[in-house]
Amino acid sequence: MPTPYGGSYLRCMWLRILALVYDPFLWLGEHRGMRRRRSTLLEDAVGRVVEIGAGTGLNVEHYPDAVADLVLVEPDPAMRRRLAHRLRRRTRAGRIVDSPAEHLPLPDASVDTVVSTLVLCTVDEPERALREIARVLRPDGQLLFIEHVRASSRFLAACQDHLFEPWRRFAGGCRCNRPTVELMRVCGFEVTADNVEWRGMPAIVRPLVVGRATLVTAG
Ligand SMILES: C[S@@+](CC[C@H](N)C(=O)[O-])C[C@H]1O[C@@H](n2cnc3c(N)ncnc32)[C@H](O)[C@@H]1O
């Protein structure tokens, strides 16, 4: 029997549990700065917005009125159920789409803002996802992001390498040592980002990069 987006039954059951415990697991981090960080980042969201890997919808309450159309992309069915529940409780309208970031069902150059918070660590094919984001963005569009990335401290990076596999299994596919900003540049983005600490979360998911990426125009 097929399972949601191709996983084993054990993995699917674990993903259902993760969706249940996701908000409580992040609670401390949200209260120690992450919630404010989401809000500040999303002040710049405008026009047609596509959020990839929207999860349980922790960003939903922060979208400003300048957002004309909100598309929330999420491939995990358990996450989508919680996302739909959160969207119903808020006044903000949004459309939930079942899709991975690697295959966005959207026309070329049709999106003003793509949002990715804590997602590019988890997608299976980050370069493919970034090229897909570049495809759907208008030439003057933007990618707003908060991502945890490979540490610059040699000690912490070595811990991330060492704990990569157990963490990936525990955290639903999260790769704690991924150099996401470098990947953005490789995929044709110009990136402005700050490194900050994700307070209230394990050191393995530090640092966070918070910023904006735009398409490098030829010539
Ligand atoms: C750590 S959660 C982040 C959720 C939310 N963005 C947030 O800020 O709380 C990672 C999310 O990425 C989703 N995800 C996993 N693989 C994905 C893919 N290939 N494309 C898009 N989203 C994906 C997961 O289902 C999960 O909801």
Side-chain angles (χ1 to χ4, degrees), residues 22-39 56-59 61-62 86 117-118 146 198-201:
Y22 185 78
D23 289 2
F25 185 69
L26 260 66
W27 185 87
L28 186 59
E30 294 295 315
H31 282 262
R32 294 195 63 192
M34 190 63 162
R35 187 167 179 275
R36 185 180 33 79
R37 208 159 266 142
R38 293 178 190 275
S39 174
T56 60
L58 288 174
N59 288 331
E61 64 178 297
H62 302 295
R86 184 165 253 130
T117 61
L118 315 174
I146 304 175
W198 192 0
R199 293 213 189 109
M201 292 299 284

Side-chain angles (χ1 to χ4, degrees), residues 23 26 28 37 42 50 54 85 89 97 108 130 168 171:
D23 289 2
L26 260 66
L28 186 59
R37 208 159 266 142
L42 296 177
V50 173
H85 182 66
R89 287 196 346 241
V97 172
D108 295 359
L130 283 162
R168 188 183 71 80

Side-chain angles (χ1 to χ4, degrees), residues 5 11 15 22-23 26 30 34 38 51-59 73-77 79-80 99-104 115-125 129 146 148 171-175 198:
Y5 70 106
R11 177 160 189 264
L15 290 178
Y22 185 78
D23 289 2
L26 260 66
E30 294 295 315
M34 190 63 162
R38 293 178 190 275
E51 181 178 342
I52 58 164
T56 60
L58 288 174
N59 288 331
V73 175
E74 173 53 58
D76 180 72
M79 286 290 193
R80 270 201 313 278
S99 176
E102 292 92 333
H103 304 279
L104 296 172
V115 172
S116 174
T117 61
L118 315 174
V119 178
L120 290 169
C121 55
T122 302
V123 301
D124 287 332
E125 298 176 87
I146 304 175
H148 65 83
C174 169
R175 280 76 159 182
W198 192 0

Side-chain angles (χ1 to χ4, degrees), residues 34 37 41 145-147 192-196 208-212:
M34 190 63 162
R37 208 159 266 142
L41 179 83
F145 62 87
I146 304 175
E147 297 288 346
T192 316
D194 292 323
N195 278 24
V196 297
L208 281 180
V209 287
V210 181
R212 179 172 186 268

Side-chain angles (χ1 to χ4, degrees), residues 37 118 121 146-153 156-157 160 176-178 180-181 194-199 202-210:
R37 208 159 266 142
L118 315 174
C121 55
I146 304 175
E147 297 288 346
H148 65 83
V149 294
R150 183 175 183 80
S152 52
S153 135
L156 191 48
Q160 290 173 333
C176 59
N177 61 358
R178 187 169 272 173
T180 299
V181 171
D194 292 323
N195 278 24
V196 297
E197 193 184 326
W198 192 0
R199 293 213 189 109
I204 194 173
V205 289
R206 290 181 197 158
L208 281 180
V209 287
V210 181

